[in-house]
Amino acid sequence: MNPFSSSTRLRDMIRSIRACKTAAEERGVVRKECADIRASINENDPHDRHRNLAKLMFIHMLGYPTHFGQMECLKLIASPGFPEKRIGYLGLMLLLDERQEVLMLVTNSLKQDLNHTNQYVVGLALCALGNICSAEMARDLAPEVERLIQFRDPNIRKKAALCSTRIVRKVPDLAENFINAASSLLKEKHHGVLITGVQLCYELCTINDEALEFFRKKCTEGLIKTLRDITNSAYQPEYDVAGITDPFLHIRLLKVLRVLGHGDANASDLMTDILAQVATKTESNKNAGNAILYECVETIMAIEDTSSLRVLAINILGRFLSNRDNNIRYVALNMLMKAIAFDDQAVQRHRVTILECVKDPDASIRKRALELVSLLVNENNVKQLTKELIDYLEISDEDFKEDLSAKICSIVEKFSPEKIWYIDQMLKVLSEAGKFVKDDVWHALIVVISNASELHGYTVRALYKAVLTYSEQETLVRVAIWCIGEYGDLLVNNVGMLGIEDPITVTECDAVDVVEDAITRHNSDMTTKAMALVALLKLSSRFPSISERIKDVILKQKGSLLLEMQQRAIEFNSIVERHKNIRSSLVERMPVLDEATFNVRRAGSLPASVSTMAKPSVSIPNGVSAAPLVDLLDLGSDDILAAPSSSSGADFLQDLLSVDLGSSSAQSGATPAPKAGTDLLLDILSIGTPSPAQNSTSAIDLLSTADMNNNSSTALDALSSSAPPHIATTASAGGMFDLLDGLSPSPSKEATNGPAYPPIVAYESSSLKIEFTFSKPSGNPQTTNVEATFINLSPDTFTDFVFQAAVPKFLQLHLDPASSNTLPASGGKVTQNLRVTNSQHGKKSLVMRMRIGYKVNGKDVLEEGQINNFPRGL
Amino acid sequence: GTDDHSSDLFWESRINMIHFVLLVSRQGKVRLTKWYSPYTQKERSKVIRELSGVILNRGPKLCNFIEWRGYKVVYKRYASLYFCMCIDEADNELEVLEIIHHYVEILDRYFGSVCELDLIFNFHKAYYILDELLIAGELQESSKKTVARIISAQDQLVEAAKEEASSISNIIAQATK
């Protein structure tokens, strides 16, 4: 019997697993094997270990739990023989990761093996350490590894070099210990050692400034010479890839030169010639050559200004972009984004090709191209680019419409030359992709419309026409309903016709039909229905001749399953029927919504209450899906936020409409409000008041959709338990209390901040929001202090929170430590200070990329984004 | 966090490395997984599920890169197997394609026209070869010949140990007869 011949039994197991016809059958086989292995482990026979572990690794790859085999790895590693150690280390790397406590137990074995007389055992230990060591192990074993960098055999030297790379990544403090050893590797002839040595050198330079200075001074010329030698080298079959000698070495050398040249004009100067040679002489008909050109362009773009080289780089990218190989086009798009930073004009020349890429069948290319296009937009080309994108929106895949429409909206908002163009474009987007458009976008559109008094007639007519064709686009319907409610009279009388318009015939009945459609359509969500109800009330005054019909439509909502809808229907009905004398003043046209205030709010709205409102999704029995609830939360938060700033006490409207509002307005009155902030959203949805818009009233709160949203689930509860409705109403008032309470600790932020730069929402996802507030240290206009506030919008706690940021070359970024690395659930906050210095102050705006990592319930989450909405002039 | 978060090195996030290597068959069966960044077992299964779903469903003429959770996955199909490597956004995708090809060539040379079955029954060999090619998510050796030499030296060590063990067990068998 041969105790090491695991292969037969391992083979048998693999065969029997492969022979399984169903998943259940496979589970059965695996269960039996695992039971056998456990039994064998318990017998503790060293002869079976090798075979057991091999089998466990196979089982592990199939996705079954194998933790019970972890200790077997350690035992095998501790055995004296090479075969046992080899499989033991392999198992260790596969079955364990650096976060497992068990791993610490292997430190001692590793130390012994690093000092083993057999170099292949040393190699195994270095490989394992390099692949999975934790920070503690790195610290413990760094001296051994450092020593092995000088080992006689190149196979060990190269492994030690990469192992050191891992060590300094884990423990950057150790970097300086490796500087000398790394520099000795740069003189090697053995390619493996050279490649790994250059890699280690690169790593040290990015971690440690001292190392960077050292290598820049001592090694730049040597590395340039190595690159020249390899570039000019004669054919070497061992290293040849498609006619190029060792492209991997090329690439690593270019990479390390990039770090050495970045920020240092002298070093950059030294490498100009060789970079030019690589850029012009490298064969570009094979992937290997293109990979080198790619790296070369990166280096040229990162080192100090050598404009002739940059022309070469841009030309290479231009060639890449017109390449037929999708891979090459993809990387070209990616790199042109970086190239914009120093040569916008050159990239603009490729606009047509880039636009074509937006329409590519390949999602990866489309996504890159769209990002790039949005960076290319400026005042001069916005109309043409937007037209192209909107044309494509009509025919693009459904799953691309969300990204595409979001980009178009942000382009239109940012660069719109005039209001009518803005409104036209937004109407097109809402018509084609309205269901993908975010709330803040259509809210902003309403604000713009409200401000464009000369376009009210034009807009309401355009919306009317659009909504007849695209009635399934929810956000289009909402904007249309709002406008019809406000400007219905302009619609039916063709008031304010522009020269470009054809007159249309719309009767009062036609206008009401559109609104009625929206309120009765069963897949309209609550926001839409609520807006429709308000619009009907308004139209009852604009169209007195058909107010009876309007009243009937309103009254039908008495039967709505949503309590708020029921209640408002009854109240509105009573206004229409019994208070004709005050009706017209009640529902006057909205005062113009203040754009500036809206923009500040939109950028800096406080999210504190959002998470408290997040409710588990409920399925409403009448088929109204729960999804819109989520959409509504945005709206809701703003509405609720308005409460503390509303300064009104008793208003006649309140008496008229409120059920239990007295208490809630008392609550809001109790909250000191230094500034009567206008909540425009609130105003948008509310019926107008005769009082100036600045005094938003709490009565308006009640009419807003957010309340309906808040109350909806309560209403449902009430219905399902068949409790009398008024109980639910009381409950809803309680809900409002809670929300207001939740809000009171965050008083108006704008008051305390310097007025110079408005705060921004730098990033927002469903789970996380980041706000930036800005201040400038006096006497230093280039520098901006940014206070970043991270807010957890989810119901789960975030741990191990890390914020990383990167900026283009003209900026310098310093990050202070964050106030904590844990964000408590539902509104928990962490703050972190950043200092940005803009060397192009006054010429270029701030821009930043960021990456946020954290854990939720033990799972890693990564979020990323680019921040382009910094206030100008920072 | 204690890491250095800031970097002005032209958009580059600091650690550029291969985070993991994945071999998946056309049927979605995992043939090899190698993790250079810490992922829990649960995360590993999720990553495999997510990625194989995306990659297996991509059309044949599209580019070999997918953007995924802030990373990039470079993949290439060889016969019935997809070779995938996950890298950082700022890394050189084209080079990773070369690394994948480099690995495939070494496997091919080692097994002699490698096929999926070789990698199923000798999966540990595929791992041993990968360990001579990458450490810490970085390339270790650009010479296929060198890798082959080091692997064969270690295979011989294993063979020698086996022979020795079988001769010992023969002696024991003889002695106890």
Side-chain angles (χ1 to χ4, degrees):
Chain A
M1 183 204 98
N2 181 350
F4 294 114
S5 88
S6 60
S7 57
T8 50
R9 292 245 357 239
L10 172 65
R11 266 180 180 270
D12 289 344
M13 183 194 81
I14 295 174
R15 278 210 189 92
S16 55
I17 287 174
R18 282 172 54 77
C20 294
K21 292 196 177 57
T22 65
E25 207 180 319
E26 182 187 285
R27 278 196 299 275
V29 173
V30 170
R31 201 180 304 124
K32 189 182 166 301
E33 281 291 344
C34 284
D36 289 350
I37 295 170
R38 277 173 195 268
S40 165
I41 289 174
N42 289 337
E43 279 169 27
N44 209 9
D45 179 354
H47 291 150
D48 289 333
R49 277 196 193 119
H50 189 293
R51 176 195 298 159
N52 286 341
L53 185 56
K55 285 183 191 159
L56 276 179
M57 283 192 276
F58 190 85
I59 291 170
H60 176 87
M61 277 200 293
L62 298 174
Y64 295 95
T66 50
H67 49 274
F68 56 88
Q70 289 174 353
M71 289 310 289
E72 296 303 287
C73 299
L74 305 196
K75 288 178 190 158
L76 282 161
I77 289 169
S79 332
F82 178 78
E84 290 79 11
K85 282 184 188 294
R86 196 187 197 194
I87 193 105
Y89 276 118
L90 184 58
L92 183 81
M93 289 186 280
L94 193 63
L95 305 186
L96 276 81
D97 68 73
E98 65 174 86
R99 286 180 290 203
Q100 271 149 322
E101 297 285 319
V102 189
L103 196 58
M104 284 307 289
L105 300 175
V106 89
T107 309
N108 219 16
S109 298
L110 275 168
K111 191 165 191 158
Q112 281 174 16
D113 287 347
L114 288 174
N115 291 297
H116 204 278
T117 49
N118 183 332
Q119 62 138 313
Y120 294 105
V121 173
V122 180
L124 291 177
L126 280 172
C127 176
L129 193 63
N131 284 345
I132 63 165
C133 81
S134 62
E136 289 92 329
M137 292 167 77
R139 255 183 237 282
D140 288 348
L141 299 170
E144 259 72 25
V145 177
E146 190 197 325
R147 185 176 50 76
L148 290 169
I149 293 181
Q150 323 273 357
F151 197 81
R152 68 192 138 73
D153 192 281
N155 176 38
I156 297 304
R157 289 205 294 278
K158 70 186 187 192
K159 287 188 163 66
L162 288 187
C163 195
S164 309
T165 306
R166 168 107 180 180
I167 289 173
V168 298
R169 279 174 188 165
K170 290 283 160 198
V171 191
D173 304 348
L174 291 172
E176 50 195 78
N177 302 1
F178 288 93
I179 297 177
N180 281 322
S183 70
S184 72
L185 296 176
L186 301 181
K187 302 182 190 83
E188 296 261 0
K189 292 277 173 268
H190 185 285
H191 281 223
V193 181
L194 199 46
I195 278 181
T196 54
V198 172
Q199 180 65 44
L200 176 58
C201 169
Y202 170 83
E203 208 68 38
L204 293 171
C205 288
T206 58
I207 288 171
N208 184 301
D209 288 343
E210 223 172 283
L212 178 59
E213 276 315 306
F214 175 88
F215 287 113
R216 193 176 269 157
K217 208 174 284 166
K218 298 271 164 86
C219 305
T220 306
E221 290 181 61
L223 287 163
I224 290 171
K225 183 176 179 304
T226 311
L227 179 56
R228 187 171 295 126
D229 289 349
I230 190 78
T231 307
N232 298 328
S233 115
Y235 174 69
Q236 293 186 44
E238 190 171 353
Y239 298 105
D240 187 78
V241 178
I244 296 168
T245 303
D246 206 339
F248 304 107
L249 181 56
H250 272 92
I251 287 169
R252 267 152 204 75
L253 286 164
L254 288 165
K255 206 161 106 178
V256 76
L257 289 179
R258 175 151 83 240
V259 205
L260 298 176
H262 177 72
D264 189 290
N266 283 336
S268 298
D269 250 17
L270 286 174
M271 57 188 78
T272 311
D273 286 350
I274 185 64
L275 292 178
Q277 192 194 332
V278 173
T280 48
K281 297 270 169 66
T282 307
E283 278 292 334
S284 63
N285 53 358
K286 288 276 165 52
N287 183 62
N290 285 325
I292 293 174
L293 287 171
Y294 176 121
E295 205 67 37
C296 187
V297 170
E298 288 266 18
T299 299
I300 290 172
M301 293 199 299
I303 66 170
E304 293 315 298
D305 189 21
T306 42
S307 35
S308 57
L309 276 184
R310 291 193 172 171
V311 173
L312 280 179
I314 293 277
N315 287 345
I316 291 174
L317 294 184
R319 284 208 312 273
F320 273 17
L321 192 61
S322 53
N323 201 302
R324 282 168 59 196
D325 182 337
N326 281 333
N327 290 338
I328 308 294
R329 282 197 299 143
Y330 175 88
V331 298
L333 291 166
N334 214 1
M335 296 177 80
L336 284 168
M337 281 178 71
K338 303 175 186 176
I340 288 181
F342 60 80
D343 196 347
D344 182 64
Q345 281 312 306
V347 184
Q348 291 284 358
R349 279 198 289 277
H350 299 292
R351 210 166 55 214
V352 177
T353 322
I354 296 165
L355 259 174
E356 279 311 300
C357 293
V358 174
K359 306 168 188 172
D360 200 273
D362 188 335
S364 296
I365 289 180
R366 277 202 308 251
K367 199 168 164 217
R368 274 296 119 227
L370 188 59
E371 293 291 329
L372 183 54
V373 165
S374 68
L375 294 180
L376 285 178
V377 179
N378 57 35
E379 283 81 3
N380 303 322
N381 61 24
V382 61
K383 285 195 174 181
Q384 186 208 338
L385 281 175
T386 307
K387 184 183 179 310
E388 293 265 4
L389 293 177
I390 288 179
D391 286 350
Y392 183 57
L393 184 62
E394 290 170 26
I395 52 168
S396 74
D397 295 346
E398 280 294 294
D399 54 357
F400 189 48
K401 281 193 170 150
E402 182 167 359
D403 284 349
L404 187 56
S405 60
K407 269 285 178 306
I408 298 173
C409 291
S410 83
I411 291 170
V412 169
E413 286 182 357
K414 206 161 156 195
F415 294 101
S416 164
E418 67 236 351
K419 280 191 169 158
I420 185 165
W421 184 81
Y422 170 92
I423 291 171
D424 282 345
Q425 308 313 310
M426 294 305 289
L427 255 54
K428 285 183 201 161
V429 174
L430 291 183
S431 300
E432 290 302 332
K435 56 185 162 207
F436 301 112
V437 169
K438 298 270 184 303
D439 282 347
D440 62 333
V441 172
W442 65 267
H443 294 168
L445 173 60
I446 287 184
V447 174
V448 171
I449 294 172
S450 157
N451 278 275
S453 53
E454 70 289 353
L455 298 174
H456 285 166
Y458 169 78
T459 308
V460 70
R461 285 186 292 274
L463 276 162
Y464 175 82
K465 278 184 276 185
V467 86
L468 291 182
T469 320
Y470 302 100
S471 60
E472 78 286 2
Q473 303 287 358
E474 191 93 36
T475 56
L476 177 76
V477 173
R478 288 182 197 165
V479 178
I481 289 171
W482 187 85
C483 286
I484 291 171
E486 291 298 319
Y487 316 120
D489 44 337
L490 311 183
L491 172 65
V492 296
N493 299 324
N494 278 325
V495 175
M497 289 287 288
L498 300 185
I500 52 170
E501 278 187 87
D502 294 323
I504 54 169
T505 315
V506 183
T507 65
E508 295 181 343
C509 274
D510 294 338
V512 173
D513 283 347
V514 169
V515 185
E516 185 179 4
D517 254 13
I519 207 167
T520 49
R521 196 177 315 120
H522 90 124
N523 55 2
S524 291
D525 75 5
M526 273 182 295
T527 305
T528 311
K529 289 190 178 192
M531 290 179 77
L533 204 58
V534 174
L536 287 168
L537 179 61
K538 294 210 158 197
L539 290 179
S540 73
S541 164
R542 313 252 191 286
F543 304 151
S545 63
I546 56 166
S547 71
E548 270 307 300
R549 179 188 160 202
I550 294 175
K551 194 192 78 182
D552 289 344
V553 179
I554 291 176
L555 257 182
K556 274 187 206 143
Q557 293 304 313
K558 224 169 56 172
S560 166
L561 285 177
L562 306 169
L563 177 68
E564 283 295 322
M565 292 292 285
Q566 287 179 24
Q567 188 172 327
R568 297 314 149 217
I570 292 168
E571 288 160 359
F572 288 3
N573 176 53
S574 111
I575 295 172
V576 177
E577 204 168 58
R578 290 206 295 274
H579 300 276
K580 291 206 174 73
N581 52 334
I582 58 162
R583 188 175 66 198
S584 62
S585 56
L586 258 182
V587 300
E588 266 178 1
R589 192 163 297 162
M590 285 294 299
V592 169
L593 305 167
D594 180 6
E595 273 179 302
T597 319
F598 175 79
N599 289 334
V600 171
R601 278 205 77 88
R602 186 183 181 190
S605 66
L606 305 174
S609 66
V610 171
S611 51
T612 60
M613 296 170 58
K615 293 186 174 114
S617 56
V618 278
S619 166
I620 299 171
N622 68 353
V624 178
S625 86
L629 271 175
V630 182
D631 292 340
L632 280 174
L633 291 179
D634 272 355
L635 247 180
S637 67
D638 280 16
D639 280 322
I640 298 307
L641 280 166
S645 60
S646 74
S647 52
S648 73
D651 185 288
F652 79 97
L653 258 177
Q654 185 185 322
D655 297 333
L656 191 65
L657 298 176
S658 82
V659 185
D660 46 41
L661 193 66
S663 53
S664 97
S665 78
Q667 177 75 15
S668 64
T671 315
K675 184 173 161 235
T678 49
D679 188 291
L680 294 152
L681 285 173
L682 176 82
D683 297 340
I684 288 167
L685 299 175
S686 71
I687 58 170
T689 67
S691 55
Q694 292 297 316
N695 268 337
S696 40
T697 69
S698 30
I700 284 169
D701 287 358
L702 254 198
L703 295 176
S704 71
T705 52
D707 291 300
M708 302 191 185
N709 176 28
N710 290 333
N711 294 339
S712 64
S713 56
T714 326
L716 275 177
D717 293 346
L719 285 170
S720 58
S721 63
S722 60
H726 71 267
I727 293 177
T729 315
T730 328
S732 81
M736 274 204 64
F737 269 138
D738 290 347
L739 288 167
L740 292 167
D741 280 349
L743 224 110
S744 48
S746 51
S748 151
K749 232 179 174 172
E750 292 144 48
T752 52
N753 277 325
Y757 299 100
I760 62 167
V761 175
Y763 177 79
E764 185 163 11
S765 70
S766 58
S767 51
L768 179 71
K769 179 157 172 169
I770 305 176
E771 295 168 8
F772 282 4
T773 57
F774 307 97
S775 60
K776 289 265 186 194
S778 52
N780 188 356
Q782 294 202 332
T783 300
T784 307
N785 294 322
V786 182
E787 192 194 31
T789 307
F790 306 96
I791 302 135
N792 179 350
L793 306 180
S794 83
D796 302 302
T797 300
F798 298 167
T799 59
D800 299 359
F801 183 88
V802 175
F803 168 76
Q804 293 173 295
V807 290
K809 276 209 303 192
F810 66 91
L811 299 174
Q812 277 199 324
L813 176 65
H814 173 85
L815 277 87
D816 287 341
S819 61
S820 160
N821 66 352
T822 302
L823 273 85
S826 307
K829 288 183 189 180
V830 163
T831 58
Q832 185 165 13
N833 290 314
L834 291 71
R835 195 170 64 246
V836 191
T837 308
N838 184 351
S839 63
Q840 305 266 356
H841 178 69
K843 289 181 219 148
K844 288 189 182 168
S845 298
L846 299 192
V847 58
M848 189 180 289
R849 268 201 184 178
M850 46 122 211
R851 177 181 288 184
I852 304 127
Y854 52 85
K855 280 204 182 99
V856 181
N857 300 326
K859 276 187 198 157
D860 281 316
V861 180
L862 193 77
E863 301 197 37
E864 293 201 313
Q866 184 158 330
I867 307 166
N868 293 322
N869 60 333
F870 283 97
R872 278 170 192 253
L874 281 177
Chain B
T2 52
D3 284 8
D4 174 17
H5 303 316
S6 75
S7 148
D8 67 347
L9 192 65
F10 209 77
W11 296 124
E12 220 160 346
S13 52
R14 210 178 51 70
I15 297 180
N16 297 320
M17 59 183 281
I18 295 169
H19 294 281
F20 57 82
V21 178
L22 199 61
L23 259 70
V24 193
S25 78
R26 217 173 41 188
Q27 283 78 32
K29 293 262 190 240
V30 179
R31 297 302 177 208
L32 179 145
T33 62
K34 188 86 187 175
W35 309 86
Y36 299 101
S37 291
Y39 293 81
T40 63
Q41 300 298 338
K42 232 173 144 184
E43 288 164 338
R44 292 179 183 186
S45 339
K46 193 171 168 232
V47 166
I48 294 169
R49 228 180 12 251
E50 256 182 59
L51 273 182
S52 42
V54 178
I55 290 171
L56 297 180
N57 285 318
R58 279 194 39 107
K61 283 186 182 156
L62 307 180
C63 71
N64 294 87
F65 318 128
I66 48 173
E67 295 178 19
W68 172 81
R69 293 207 217 162
Y71 295 95
K72 274 181 190 150
V73 177
V74 178
Y75 70 93
K76 185 151 188 191
R77 184 176 158 184
Y78 289 86
S80 59
L81 277 183
Y82 288 86
F83 288 69
C84 320
M85 293 189 181
C86 173
I87 54 170
D88 277 289
E89 233 181 359
D91 260 349
N92 186 335
E93 301 92 339
L94 301 180
E95 194 213 359
V96 176
L97 275 178
E98 283 304 317
I99 294 179
I100 290 178
H101 190 71
H102 192 48
Y103 180 41
V104 173
E105 284 191 321
I106 296 171
L107 288 173
D108 199 56
R109 207 173 282 193
Y110 182 83
F111 288 103
S113 304
V114 67
C115 67
E116 194 184 339
L117 277 181
D118 292 325
L119 300 188
I120 294 172
F121 286 102
N122 297 292
F123 67 92
H124 48 297
K125 300 277 177 65
Y127 278 100
Y128 292 142
I129 292 171
L130 186 61
D131 282 342
E132 292 301 332
L133 200 67
L134 301 177
I135 288 183
E138 301 293 346
L139 186 73
Q140 180 187 169
E141 181 56 68
S142 54
S143 158
K144 298 186 261 288
K145 215 165 104 187
T146 305
V147 173
R149 192 170 45 75
I150 295 171
I151 287 287
S152 108
Q154 296 180 71
D155 285 351
Q156 276 166 24
L157 276 182
V158 174
E159 284 306 313
K162 273 187 190 172
E163 271 166 35
E164 196 185 328
S166 77
S167 66
I168 290 172
S169 58
N170 281 342
I171 292 167
I172 295 170
Q174 293 283 323
T176 53
K177 207 182 258 179

